[in-house]
Amino acid sequence: QKEVEQNSGPLSVPEGAIASLNCTYSDRGSQSFFWYRQYSGKSPELIMFIYSNGDKEDGRFTAQLNKASQYVSLLIRDSQPSDSATYLCAVNQGGTSYGKLTFGQGTILTVHP
Amino acid sequence: DVKVTQSSRYLVKRTGEKVFLECVQDMDHENMFWYRQDPGLGLRLIYFSYDVKMKEKGDIPEGYSVSREKKERFSLILESASTNQTSMYLCAILRDGINYGYTFGSGTRLTVV
């Protein structure tokens, strides 16, 4: 079983819809969770960070964390064509891990007009 | 904002060559990381360093080594390049604590022929 697994995609949504991206992780001791966005040919950029159970909102983005079920999700409201990218879920185990992150394989999102 | 510079955007090397990939940051962050990114596999950690001359293996260190003689520079070395090391290589630094996530370099696309 992969340590961090994302819904395989690709995911296609119409402009204005809600895009839902999901991620599960296997290490119950994981402490910090990240969503990165990667445009084609570019490096990943951080868009959300969450460490507490529940929801965290930033503009059109909401991250949801459920540690008991070991999943983290990203909702994008009012999706725009500019949101089309690969979304990477990443997990940090905390403790003496020196900040190393374990990434999922990524989900390609396409928002069509 | 910290800047992470990878010396080459594209590299083509021959099988058996020794290859050096350089990563330089313009601040004083301690933790630096080398990942490779392949389609369908996401980002996989090769090596990381948490201080000068300090290094630890990641998940896929075979065929690679690293060097960190100065705090700002972290080099990835392919001792004898092979075709299965053809990939996108991404350097990252951890900014000021885990909450801030990584800042990535622009990546080096290495092709081994």
Side-chain angles (χ1 to χ4, degrees):
Chain A
Q1 183 189 0
K2 288 183 182 177
E3 292 185 36
V4 180
E5 196 145 2
Q6 299 183 234
N7 46 337
S8 55
L11 180 65
S12 180
V13 300
E15 186 173 354
I18 296 175
S20 177
L21 303 158
N22 298 314
C23 175
T24 58
Y25 59 94
S26 59
D27 185 345
R28 191 168 283 279
S30 298
Q31 297 190 3
S32 307
F33 306 86
F34 303 81
W35 284 99
Y36 284 82
R37 177 177 61 200
Q38 186 176 26
Y39 291 116
S40 180
K42 301 292 186 183
S43 298
E45 56 178 333
L46 180 66
I47 54 171
M48 289 292 284
F49 160 70
I50 188 168
Y51 64 92
S52 297
N53 275 328
D55 294 0
K56 179 180 179 182
E57 190 173 314
D58 184 1
R60 295 185 296 110
F61 298 97
T62 299
Q64 299 175 317
L65 175 61
N66 184 323
K67 288 187 177 180
S69 301
Q70 294 177 241
Y71 83 79
V72 57
S73 62
L74 180 70
L75 300 178
I76 307 174
R77 290 184 301 282
D78 188 24
S79 296
Q80 301 297 309
S82 58
D83 295 325
S84 298
T86 297
Y87 289 80
L88 300 164
C89 172
V91 174
N92 172 254
Q93 293 176 312
T96 57
S97 65
Y98 298 107
K100 66 176 180 173
L101 298 182
T102 301
F103 286 82
Q105 75 274 31
T107 300
I108 298 172
L109 171 67
T110 302
V111 181
H112 53 88
Chain B
D1 244 2
V2 62
K3 187 175 179 183
V4 181
T5 302
Q6 292 185 234
S7 53
S8 303
R9 187 78 175 100
Y10 298 96
L11 271 181
V12 180
K13 296 291 182 180
R14 295 195 180 277
T15 301
E17 275 194 76
K18 192 168 186 176
V19 181
F20 293 85
L21 303 183
E22 304 287 341
C23 176
V24 179
Q25 58 162 317
D26 65 353
M27 296 188 78
D28 210 29
H29 297 288
E30 292 179 341
N31 296 8
M32 299 183 74
F33 306 83
W34 275 106
Y35 286 84
R36 62 177 283 178
Q37 185 174 28
D38 301 287
L41 296 177
L43 277 75
R44 293 178 291 166
L45 181 63
I46 305 171
Y47 265 98
F48 66 99
S49 169
Y50 50 92
D51 206 343
V52 174
K53 297 191 187 293
M54 306 304 287
K55 59 188 179 186
E56 286 207 12
K57 294 179 180 179
D59 299 317
I60 52 163
E62 297 78 20
Y64 303 94
S65 63
V66 289
S67 172
R68 192 157 180 208
E69 297 296 318
K70 292 184 179 181
K71 200 163 194 177
E72 68 269 20
R73 186 180 297 269
F74 189 35
S75 303
L76 179 69
I77 304 158
L78 285 67
E79 298 291 342
S80 177
S82 64
T83 54
N84 62 13
Q85 292 178 310
T86 292
S87 187
M88 171 66 82
Y89 289 88
L90 289 163
C91 174
I93 63 102
L94 181 66
R95 299 179 297 161
D96 299 327
I98 192 62
N99 294 16
Y100 297 92
Y102 288 169
T103 296
F104 284 90
S106 55
T108 296
R109 181 160 298 280
L110 173 67
T111 302
V112 182
V113 297

